[in-house]
């Protein structure tokens, strides 16, 4: 399967996404109807299982929105199953160069990696006619997206940005702000601002891209300011946070 997000970033476009906690295929379809470009199914903090992920991935494909999955660790068996379902890639929590290397190994077919080969899976179109062509396309289109959430990773980011196979780096502002001693700060805060500048500069140097969420300040003006600072992939927030925010604002009718 082609990865529209990869192609859009290479064309210099800005893409938007949503993190899914609810596991709702309908929310996935609504996000697509709103013009959102991708979803990240959360398997780190939510209770979503593989069966629910499979439903969401199918809904995403049908609605024309690109599905990624956030995983808590570089477990080869979990990565294999998610990619076989048709996920366009994985977002790896608390990334380091070591676990990124393991994830890339697990996510790619030989000779680039060690992903198990099976034609009777959804991502392979259930027995493709040209297996070698499928392998080449799968290895080219699949994304491993590291989450930059810890100070050692931030300090080591120049080396991570140079790693072959990594194209998009996701700054996780909640965990990173806590790690930097400024809990829940936005990128307007000096330490967070410096972190953003460092990641964007290193990514650009190596021809890579930056992703982050504006869910810690769900404001279009703030989002546009983040985009102007070099972030091409902007996550609007989690479905749970966005729904909660709307309900709270509308609930003001009671006062």
């Amino acid at each position: 399967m082609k990865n529209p997000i990869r192609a859009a970033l290479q064309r210099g476009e800005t893409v938007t996404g949503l993190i899914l906690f609810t596991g709702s295929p309908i929310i996935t379809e609504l996000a697509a109807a709103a013009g959102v470009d991708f979803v990240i199914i959360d398997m780190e903090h939510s209770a979503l299982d593989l069966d629910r992920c499979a439903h969401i991935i199918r809904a995403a494909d049908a609605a024309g929105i690109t599905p990624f999955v956030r995983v808590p660790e570089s477990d080869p068996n979990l990565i294999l199953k998610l990619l076989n379902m048709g996920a366009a890639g994985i977002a790896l929590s608390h990334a380091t160069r070591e676990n990124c290397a393991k994830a890339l190994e697990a996510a790619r077919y030989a000779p680039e990696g060690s992903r198990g080969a099976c034609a009777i899976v959804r991502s392979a179109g259930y027995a493709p006619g040209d297996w070698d062509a499928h392998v080449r396309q799968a290895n080219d289109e699949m994304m491993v997206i590291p989450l930059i959430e810890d100070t050692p990773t931030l300090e080591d980011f120049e080396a991570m940005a140079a790693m072959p196979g990594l194209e998009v780096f996701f700054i996780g502002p909640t965990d990173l702000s806590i790690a930097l001693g400024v809990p829940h700060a936005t990128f307007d805060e000096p330490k967070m601002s410096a972190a953003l500048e460092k990641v964007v500069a290193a990514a650009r140097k190596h021809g890579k891209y930056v992703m982050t969420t504006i869910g810690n300040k769900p404001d279009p003006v703030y989002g546009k300011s983040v985009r102007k600072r070099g972030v091409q992939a902007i996550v609007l927030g989690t479905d749970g946070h966005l729904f909660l925010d709307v309900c709270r604002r509308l609930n003001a009718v009671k006062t």
Side-chain angles (χ1 to χ4, degrees):
M1 297 180 181
K2 286 286 186 180
N3 187 336
I5 299 305
R6 186 170 182 266
L9 292 173
Q10 290 176 342
R11 292 192 299 267
E13 299 173 9
T14 298
V15 294
T16 57
L18 185 68
I19 297 176
L20 297 180
F21 274 56
T22 63
S24 170
I26 295 176
I27 293 294
T28 303
E29 293 171 331
L30 288 170
V36 175
D37 302 293
F38 64 91
V39 291
I40 301 176
I41 304 162
D42 191 280
M43 292 191 77
E44 180 189 16
H45 297 293
S46 78
L48 300 182
D49 60 14
L50 286 169
D51 186 62
R52 178 52 50 176
C53 285
H55 286 300
I56 299 171
I57 290 168
R58 284 193 293 268
D61 287 341
I65 188 169
T66 303
F68 299 102
V69 183
R70 177 160 70 176
V71 296
E73 57 188 347
S74 53
D75 178 351
N77 292 325
L78 178 59
I79 291 170
L80 172 66
K81 291 178 184 296
L82 293 169
L83 295 181
N84 283 353
M85 290 175 186
I90 61 162
L92 180 60
S93 298
H94 296 284
T96 64
R97 277 192 287 156
E98 291 73 22
N99 62 20
C100 283
K102 291 178 182 177
L104 285 167
E105 171 75 16
R108 290 168 158 179
Y109 291 111
E112 285 84 359
S114 58
R115 177 179 173 181
C118 179
I120 309 299
V121 294
R122 186 172 183 274
S123 62
Y126 303 110
D130 187 339
W131 177 257
D132 290 339
H134 165 70
V135 166
R136 288 192 298 271
Q137 180 167 307
N139 284 355
D140 287 344
E141 299 293 331
M142 177 280 314
M143 282 182 171
V144 170
I145 304 172
L147 273 103
I148 313 304
E149 302 179 287
D150 306 290
T151 48
T153 301
L154 182 63
E155 292 166 357
D156 189 47
F157 185 70
E158 179 71 37
M160 179 181 281
M163 288 179 65
L166 300 179
E167 300 173 85
V168 179
F169 301 93
F170 188 164
I171 303 175
T174 301
D175 277 316
L176 184 59
S177 65
I178 292 170
L180 292 175
V182 286
H184 306 289
T186 69
F187 292 111
D188 295 330
E189 194 280 330
K191 289 182 180 179
M192 290 292 287
S193 178
L196 177 62
E197 290 175 4
K198 177 176 182 174
V199 171
V200 168
R204 282 178 171 171
K205 176 181 175 181
H206 294 282
K208 312 282 179 80
Y209 310 99
V210 177
M211 175 186 292
T212 196
T213 177
I214 59 169
N216 55 341
K217 190 175 182 180
D219 176 351
V221 174
Y222 173 70
K224 289 179 180 180
S225 73
V226 170
R227 185 192 69 192
K228 289 177 181 177
R229 295 178 69 180
V231 178
Q232 276 186 247
I234 297 178
V235 177
L236 307 178
T238 71
D239 52 357
H241 276 119
L242 294 174
F243 182 73
L244 180 64
D245 179 63
V246 170
C247 287
R248 280 175 171 164
R249 287 191 285 111
L250 292 178
N251 204 34
V253 299
K254 291 163 52 174
T255 60

